[in-house]
């Protein structure tokens, strides 16, 4: 059986899904001629072979032994030798690792009781070696033996307190041998086994356990494999082997602006975790140039190779071991949202990338981050410390000191700031939900900084004036200021400021630019955003409209670059005093024509004024007005409350006649499921004159705008249509009203009449409906609810989180379009609608219209426009441009 194991130097032609992300990336670097530590890959095919046999087959065992022998030959030392052992790391890329991040690596394979002393004698830092050993034993206990990680974390906490440290690791080496012994004791008590002293057995155990974890148990049947994962086994190199060793990170360009020039940090005599976690300060690369000119020159050459290959700002993680430079990772570096836009434009202006690639280098999510507020410069906060400005934005929240609490509080709706001495991979869940992250150690390349930038979280690192006591859930600032868990702090990721209490925030300059308050060249980031959005607007084929119900919303949408209004919800216009008019209309007796006529006469001028103001704000651009679509219960008194009030009044002999009558009406109109009751087109058909009044108001408002010299473009949308006949009746009535207004005003103003596709039946009968519709607009909110048979509000607050926890769903169908189900309905309806009416205009006006992933789907489907909230219009514009640039569609013949 071939294709099970490959040397990293010999992977030509092997598919990336067989090598996993780690193996693919390392092989690419080797192909560039970079000095990558030797290693080999157990492919996804090897995983399948192992699980099929339920043991390590000979076809796999023999190549592994041969590759281990080759690693030993290259290194000049053997796995497990006592004087200077060969140590290995194992990187596991989970199934589907082409998209997923690799799992946490296992390091230090090869350490034993005997080799620890030999490694230290060979120059290894005593504390670093013992720390590596304790982590290896704990990883063996959790990954191989299946012991809960909390068992080992408890021992680590006891060791921390024993040496007087309220941190995640003890600063001295004296306690670490005892910690190793404690981990071994946990392993022995939980499994009855000792930690193996044969490194080959340890390695094989990790391989077996990792492959086994990727199998799906088939209810008692033998495990099934969904898709195999890959394992990369590499030689470890160390920066703590004396004065001629060290670790570093280099950036091929300025991480903030993208300007050329190698920058970075170097830390002599340190282990890899030091530079990332930040317990020690790092020197600039000038220190490397002084200590090891050859390695420094080699790094500059590597930086040039990497920069030219990736054509991007790249990070290079490197180790100098006994004078020799090794590259652990090199590739496009993580960056904050502001830097992403500036770097893209810097590369573009240098001619490194073109317009399309500049678009593909930024995302709507990054633009969203730039809309974050910042602290009001006119209101100084009570600054208690200043750290490194690691990830921009202003964040205010209650401090918490561990990831578990951060997750719990955030899910309960409490804004939190996660405070740590430094962060690790274990803190990722809390970091992803926190408003901001604050650490007392580290810098711009620390784990906290890099991860926060990737997550779009505000972050301040290296605030070393703070004494953080994570175990005591508190930190102390200079002057003895004590901040306990739950207290509010404010952090500024742009200046590094840490302030007590809540500091007022102001809009970002990008928002000020969109609002027209500052010019594009007022700020470097704003200028980059302005230019990239101009590229996006030229490139996109998908129009971007806004959901706007008021003149103020319409004006903002236009300032933010909307091509029109894709959804104007008229029910939003009936609040406060107008609500009573709609209630009178709905509760009127079926034969009370005079009451209804009076109400409609009062509503007409109010609606006409609304529409006229919106048409003015969006002059020359299309405005899609949705006729009234309220669930009936929103305009009726609560049946239970009214029943109680009348019952109490009757018991006292003082029941109001009006209340008794209203109760009778409410019972007559009461609906068990209002969302699927008398609303939308049904209301327009059952309540005579309602839709006709709205159409008249729209037409008269448009005519008035024309008289003023305006250019209104009117589209009338009929909601909740389930049958073509419903739309045909409403359209006939609407066209009659339009003809009356045209005759009365002398102004011939075309008004397109279409419908909102928000029910599965409408999607399935779209061909017939298109015979009476000039446009479709998919209401994806309700279409998702009716297709899934679930209420959005109830699902997202009740069971969708549990669905995600159980792996039933990976996300919410209300956030990104469900392509398999709802998307299929949209595809079917669009195709059949255009087949019946080739000039049919198709849009989307649900929340998905502002979601980047959904926008790409609508682009592929050749939808004509999406519509979203005004604030998300710039994001939709950018993503529509990215969809066209990054995923061009084949031409239609």
């Amino acid at each position: 059986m071939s294709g099970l194991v490959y040397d990293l130097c010999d992977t030509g032609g092997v598919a990336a899904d067989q090598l996993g992300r780690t193996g693919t990336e390392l092989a690419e670097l080797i192909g560039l001629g970079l000095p990558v530590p030797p290693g080999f890959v157990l492919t996804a095919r090897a995983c399948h072979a192992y699980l099929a046999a339920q043991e390590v087959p000979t076809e796999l065992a023999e190549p592994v032994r041969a590759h281990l022998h080759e690693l030993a030959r290259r290194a000049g030392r053997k796995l497990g030798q006592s004087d200077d052992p060969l140590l290995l790391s194992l990187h596991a890329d989970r199934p589907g690792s082409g998209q997923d991040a690799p799992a946490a690596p296992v390091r230090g394979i090869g350490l034993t009781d005997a080799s620890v002393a030999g490694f230290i004698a060979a120059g290894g830092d005593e504390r670093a070696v013992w720390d590596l050993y304790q982590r290896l034993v704990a990883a063996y206990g959790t990954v191989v033996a299946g012991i809960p990680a909390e068992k080992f974390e408890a021992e680590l906490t006891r060791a921390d307190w024993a040496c007087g440290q309220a941190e995640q690791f003890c600063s001295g080496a004296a306690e670490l041998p005892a910690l190793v012994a404690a981990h071994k004791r946990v392993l022995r008590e939980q499994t009855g086994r000792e930690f193996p002293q044969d490194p080959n057995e340890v390695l094989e155990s990790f391989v077996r356990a990792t492959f086994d974890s990727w199998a799906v148990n088939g209810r008692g049947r033998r495990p099934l494999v969904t898709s195999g994962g890959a394992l990369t086994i590499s030689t470890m190199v160390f920066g703590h082997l004396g004065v001629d060793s060290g670790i570093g990170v280099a950036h091929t360009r300025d991480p903030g602006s993208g300007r050329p020039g190698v920058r970075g940090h170097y830390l002599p005599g340190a282990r890899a975790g030091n530079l990332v976690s930040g317990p020690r300060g790092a020197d600039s690369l000038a220190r490397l140039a002084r200590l090891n000119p050859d390695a420094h020159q080699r790094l500059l050459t590597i930086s040039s190779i990497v920069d030219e290959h990736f054509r991007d700002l790249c990070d290079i993680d490197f180790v100098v071991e006994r004078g020799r430079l090794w590259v652990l990772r090199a590739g496009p570096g993580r960056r904050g949202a502001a830097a992403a836009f500036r770097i893209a434009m810097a590369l573009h202006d240098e001619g490194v990338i073109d317009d399309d690639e500049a678009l593909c280098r930024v995302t709507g999510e990054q633009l969203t981050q730039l809309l974050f507020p910042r602290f009001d410069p006119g209101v100084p906060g009570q600054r208690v410390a200043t750290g490194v400005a690691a990830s921009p934005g202003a964040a205010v929240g209650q401090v918490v000191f561990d990831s578990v609490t951060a997750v719990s509080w955030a899910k309960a709706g409490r804004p939190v700031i996660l405070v740590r001495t430094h962060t690790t991979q274990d803190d990722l869940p809390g970091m992803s939900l926190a408003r901001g992250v604050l650490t007392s150690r580290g810098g711009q390349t620390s784990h906290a900084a890099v991860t926060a930038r990737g997550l779009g979280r505000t972050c301040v690192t290296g605030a070393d004036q703070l004494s953080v006591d994570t175990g005591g859930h508190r930190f102390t600032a200079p002057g003895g200021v004590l901040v306990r868990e739950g207290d509010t702090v404010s952090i500024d990721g742009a200046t590094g400021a840490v302030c007590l209490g809540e500091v007022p925030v102001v809009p970002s300059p990008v928002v000020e630019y969109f609002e027209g308050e500052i010019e594009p060249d007022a700020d470097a980031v704003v200028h980059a955003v302005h230019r990239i959005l101009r590229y996006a607007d030229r490139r996109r084929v998908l129009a971007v409209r806004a959901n706007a119900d008021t003149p103020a919303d319409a004006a903002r949408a236009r300032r933010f670059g909307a091509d029109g209004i894709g959804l104007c919800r008229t029910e939003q216009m009936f609040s406060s005093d107008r609500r009573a008019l709609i209630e009178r209309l709905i509760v009127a007796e079926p034969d009370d024509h005079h009451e209804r006529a009076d109400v409609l006469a009062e509503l007409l001028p109010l609606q006409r004024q609304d529409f006229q103001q919106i048409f003015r704000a969006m002059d020359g651009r299309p405005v899609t007005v949705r006729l009234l679509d309220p669930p009936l219960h929103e305009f009726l008194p609560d049946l239970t409350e009214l029943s109680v009030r009348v019952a109490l009044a009757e018991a006292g002999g003082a029941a109001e006649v009006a209340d008794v009558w209203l109760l009778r009406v409410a019972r007559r109109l009461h609906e068990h499921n209002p969302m699927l009751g008398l609303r939308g087109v049904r209301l327009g058909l059952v309540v005579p004159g309602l839709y006709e009044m709205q159409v008249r108001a729209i037409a008269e408002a448009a005519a008035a705008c024309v008289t003023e010299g305006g250019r209104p473009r009117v589209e009338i949308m009929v909601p909740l249509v389930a049958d073509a006949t419903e739309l045909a009746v409403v359209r006939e009535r609407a066209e009659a009203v339009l003809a009356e207004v045209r005759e009365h005003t002398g102004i011939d103003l075309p008004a397109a009449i279409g419908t909102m596709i928000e029910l599965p039946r409408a999607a399935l009968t779209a061909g017939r409906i298109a015979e009476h519709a000039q446009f479709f607009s998919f209401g994806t909110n309700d279409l998702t609810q009716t297709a899934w048979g679930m209420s959005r509000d109830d699902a997202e607050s009740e069971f969708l989180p549990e669905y995600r926890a159980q792996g039933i769903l990976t996300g919410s169908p209300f956030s990104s379009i469900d392509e398999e189900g709802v998307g299929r309905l949209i595809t079917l309806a669009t195709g059949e609608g255009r087949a019946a009416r080739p000039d049919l205009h198709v849009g989307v006006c649900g929340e998905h219209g502002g979601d980047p992933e959904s926008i790409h789907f609508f682009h592929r489907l050749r939808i004509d426009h999406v519509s979203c909230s005004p604030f998300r219009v710039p994001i939709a514009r950018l993503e529509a441009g990215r969809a066209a640039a990054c995923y061009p569609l084949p031409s239609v013949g």
Side-chain angles (χ1 to χ4, degrees):
M1 186 182 297
S2 61
L4 301 185
V5 186
Y6 288 94
D7 191 289
L8 286 173
C9 296
D10 188 26
T11 60
V14 182
D17 62 351
Q18 286 297 310
L19 298 176
R21 177 183 292 184
T22 303
T24 300
E25 291 178 352
L26 293 177
E28 181 179 14
L29 300 183
I30 291 173
L32 294 175
L34 305 191
V36 174
F40 59 94
V41 180
L42 277 64
T43 64
R45 191 174 290 111
C47 176
H48 280 284
Y50 165 79
L51 290 171
Q54 285 298 287
E55 62 181 14
V56 179
T58 303
E59 295 87 347
L60 177 59
E62 289 299 332
V64 168
R65 277 194 287 269
H67 282 281
L68 287 174
H69 179 75
E70 177 61 18
L71 291 186
R73 187 192 67 77
R74 294 184 197 176
R77 50 190 191 271
K78 297 180 180 179
L79 196 65
Q81 73 180 51
S82 59
D83 55 343
D84 188 8
L86 169 67
L87 300 184
L88 303 176
S89 64
L90 185 150
H91 294 257
D93 292 287
R94 296 185 295 267
S97 57
Q99 292 76 39
D100 298 339
V106 177
R107 296 189 172 96
I109 298 173
L111 281 177
T112 64
D113 294 348
S115 64
V116 165
F119 191 22
I120 294 171
D125 177 78
E126 182 178 3
R127 190 222 167 275
V129 175
W130 279 108
D131 183 55
L132 188 62
Y133 195 24
Q134 68 90 8
R135 292 173 186 269
L136 174 65
V137 176
Y140 184 90
T142 55
V143 176
V144 176
I147 300 170
E150 292 79 8
K151 298 285 186 181
F152 298 100
E153 291 170 359
E155 296 300 332
L156 185 60
T157 301
R158 276 192 281 273
D160 292 340
W161 285 104
C163 67
Q165 299 291 321
E167 303 176 1
Q168 282 194 324
F169 61 91
C170 189
S171 61
E175 293 77 16
L176 286 169
L179 180 58
V180 171
H183 286 342
K184 289 180 178 178
R185 185 179 64 252
V186 171
L187 178 64
R188 185 168 54 252
E189 291 173 350
Q190 295 291 317
T191 67
R193 303 198 304 266
E194 298 289 344
F195 178 73
Q197 294 300 302
D198 178 358
N200 289 286
E201 179 184 344
V202 173
L203 176 60
E204 182 176 331
S205 296
F206 274 114
V207 171
R208 287 177 176 272
T210 305
F211 281 165
D212 284 336
S213 71
W214 291 336
V216 179
N217 289 322
R219 293 185 181 179
R221 300 187 297 272
R222 75 183 296 171
L224 304 174
V225 185
T226 53
S227 60
L231 296 178
T232 302
I233 298 170
S234 298
T235 302
M236 291 190 70
V237 291
F238 298 91
H240 54 73
L241 299 182
V243 294
D244 60 349
S245 301
I247 59 165
V249 59
H251 310 290
T252 59
R253 293 170 173 269
D254 186 304
S257 67
R259 289 190 294 270
V262 181
R263 295 161 173 80
H265 303 281
Y266 178 67
L267 188 58
R271 64 187 180 89
N274 290 146
L275 194 66
V276 175
S277 298
R280 297 170 58 186
D283 293 295
S284 70
L285 293 179
R287 182 71 177 275
L288 176 62
R290 292 193 300 271
L291 292 174
N292 192 331
D294 290 341
H296 181 260
Q297 185 57 49
R298 179 65 170 140
L299 179 63
L300 296 181
T301 302
I302 290 170
S303 298
S304 178
I305 294 171
V306 169
D307 187 69
E308 182 178 351
H309 177 72
F310 290 102
R311 297 181 305 125
D312 199 355
L313 161 72
C314 293
D315 296 340
I316 303 170
D317 297 335
F318 66 93
V319 170
V320 177
E321 182 186 70
R322 295 167 176 158
R324 183 175 181 181
L325 185 142
W326 296 95
V327 174
L328 303 184
R329 177 195 169 272
R334 295 183 182 180
R335 65 208 67 183
F341 280 86
R342 293 189 65 185
I343 291 168
M345 291 317 305
L347 292 166
H348 175 274
D349 292 344
E350 291 176 34
V352 176
I353 59 178
D354 60 15
D355 293 0
D356 279 3
E357 196 160 357
L359 273 177
C360 296
R361 292 289 178 90
V362 296
T363 67
E365 181 58 35
Q366 289 170 330
L367 181 55
T368 301
Q369 295 169 25
L370 294 181
L371 305 182
F372 289 160
R374 55 191 175 92
F375 288 140
D376 185 347
V379 184
Q382 184 183 349
R383 183 179 297 206
V384 294
T386 300
V388 177
S391 185
V396 180
Q398 298 172 310
V399 298
V400 297
F401 292 87
D402 62 84
S403 180
V404 173
T405 305
V407 171
S408 175
W409 286 20
K411 287 186 175 180
R414 300 169 68 173
V416 300
I417 303 293
L418 178 61
V419 180
R420 305 288 284 165
T421 54
H422 65 283
T423 63
T424 68
Q425 189 73 12
D426 294 337
D427 294 309
L428 184 58
M431 295 178 71
S432 65
L433 292 178
R435 296 282 181 88
V437 179
L438 170 64
T439 68
S440 59
R441 296 178 176 179
Q444 284 191 326
T445 55
S446 67
H447 178 275
V450 171
T451 304
R453 287 196 292 269
L455 293 170
R457 296 293 179 266
T458 295
C459 181
V460 173
T461 62
D464 53 10
Q465 306 102 312
L466 304 179
S467 176
V468 177
D469 179 359
T470 55
H473 303 281
R474 61 187 181 182
F475 72 77
T476 306
V481 176
L482 185 64
V483 176
R484 294 184 174 86
E485 191 162 77
D487 291 345
T488 298
V489 299
S490 303
I491 62 174
D492 188 344
T495 67
V498 181
C499 301
L500 295 182
E502 182 175 349
V503 179
V505 296
V506 295
S508 77
V510 175
V511 172
E512 292 177 313
Y513 153 69
F514 287 134
E515 293 286 10
E517 298 168 2
I518 63 173
E519 294 300 318
D521 57 359
D523 178 273
V525 176
V526 169
H527 186 61
V529 169
H530 167 75
R531 292 179 62 192
I532 287 180
L533 277 178
R534 286 176 61 195
Y535 296 149
D537 288 337
R538 291 199 297 266
R539 192 68 171 85
R540 62 187 169 93
V541 295
L542 191 63
V544 176
R545 300 187 188 180
N547 301 338
D549 313 315
T550 66
D553 284 345
R556 164 168 275 189
R558 186 154 192 167
R559 291 194 300 272
F560 277 49
D563 298 313
I565 292 178
L567 176 62
C568 177
R569 294 158 290 202
T570 55
E571 61 271 10
Q572 303 294 331
M573 302 174 179
F574 296 102
S575 58
S576 62
D577 56 332
R578 297 189 187 185
R579 180 184 179 89
L581 293 174
I582 290 294
E583 289 177 352
R584 282 175 54 195
L585 187 68
I586 291 173
V587 302
E589 295 291 345
D591 57 351
D592 194 344
H593 305 297
H594 294 295
E595 171 68 3
R596 285 182 170 164
D598 289 345
V599 173
L600 292 173
E602 290 185 62
L603 284 173
L604 178 62
L606 299 176
Q607 285 269 270
R608 183 169 57 231
Q609 182 181 18
D610 292 334
F611 297 134
Q612 189 170 348
Q613 291 175 343
I614 291 175
F615 294 153
R616 285 172 181 162
M618 200 56 65
D619 187 51
R621 303 186 185 189
V623 176
T624 304
V625 180
R626 184 176 74 182
L627 301 180
L628 197 64
D629 181 29
L632 194 62
H633 73 285
E634 292 184 4
F635 292 96
L636 290 172
D638 182 86
L639 181 60
T640 301
E641 292 181 3
L642 185 59
S643 298
V644 170
R645 188 166 77 235
V646 170
L648 291 175
E650 287 178 340
E656 295 286 340
V657 174
D659 282 348
V660 174
W661 173 80
L662 189 58
L663 176 60
R664 179 171 60 82
V665 173
R667 284 173 173 165
R668 172 171 59 86
L669 298 176
H670 174 69
E671 297 176 325
H672 292 286
N673 191 337
M675 179 188 149
L676 302 178
L678 183 57
R679 52 169 289 213
V681 67
R682 303 158 193 167
L683 190 66
L685 291 171
V686 172
V687 179
L690 175 59
Y691 276 7
E692 288 86 340
M693 178 276 294
Q694 288 196 296
V695 172
R696 187 177 301 278
I698 292 169
E700 291 178 353
C705 287
V706 171
T707 302
E708 297 171 352
R711 297 167 298 142
R713 292 175 56 189
V714 180
E715 298 175 354
I716 299 172
M717 183 160 65
V718 182
L720 211 72
V721 165
D723 186 83
T725 306
E726 292 174 313
L727 180 60
V729 172
V730 172
R731 178 173 180 173
E732 183 181 357
R733 295 175 183 177
E735 288 179 334
V737 173
L738 293 173
E740 290 178 15
V741 175
R742 183 166 54 249
E743 182 178 353
H744 177 71
T745 62
I747 296 175
D748 185 9
L749 182 72
I753 299 176
T755 186
M756 197 172 189
I757 304 292
E758 50 195 321
L759 297 174
R761 191 181 191 281
L764 294 171
T765 59
R768 289 188 55 217
I769 291 175
E771 295 173 7
H772 308 284
Q774 292 169 278
F775 66 87
F776 284 171
S777 184
F778 289 96
T780 55
N781 296 348
D782 273 357
L783 186 58
T784 300
Q785 292 190 104
T786 52
W788 279 84
M790 63 173 68
S791 161
R792 176 175 58 175
D793 294 336
D794 293 337
E796 294 196 331
S797 63
E798 296 294 334
F799 57 84
L800 278 187
E802 184 61 27
Y803 265 41
R804 288 191 288 269
Q806 293 187 30
I808 298 171
L809 291 176
T810 57
S812 168
F814 300 106
S815 299
S816 291
I817 200 73
D818 159 35
E819 295 188 22
E820 185 179 19
V822 177
R824 188 175 180 188
L825 288 173
I826 295 173
T827 302
L828 175 69
T830 300
E832 293 192 358
R834 285 173 170 165
R837 183 186 288 268
D839 62 345
L840 183 74
H841 183 94
V842 180
V844 171
C845 60
E847 290 299 317
H848 301 91
D851 169 63
E853 185 177 337
S854 304
I855 287 172
H856 289 206
F857 170 74
F858 300 137
H859 167 78
R860 295 194 302 271
L861 196 55
R862 301 182 188 271
I863 296 293
D864 294 301
H865 80 258
V866 293
S867 189
C868 57
S869 67
F871 200 71
R872 293 198 64 83
V873 164
I875 291 95
R877 289 166 55 199
L878 177 62
E879 287 295 344
R882 290 186 70 245
C886 307
Y887 313 102
L889 295 172
S891 59
V892 179

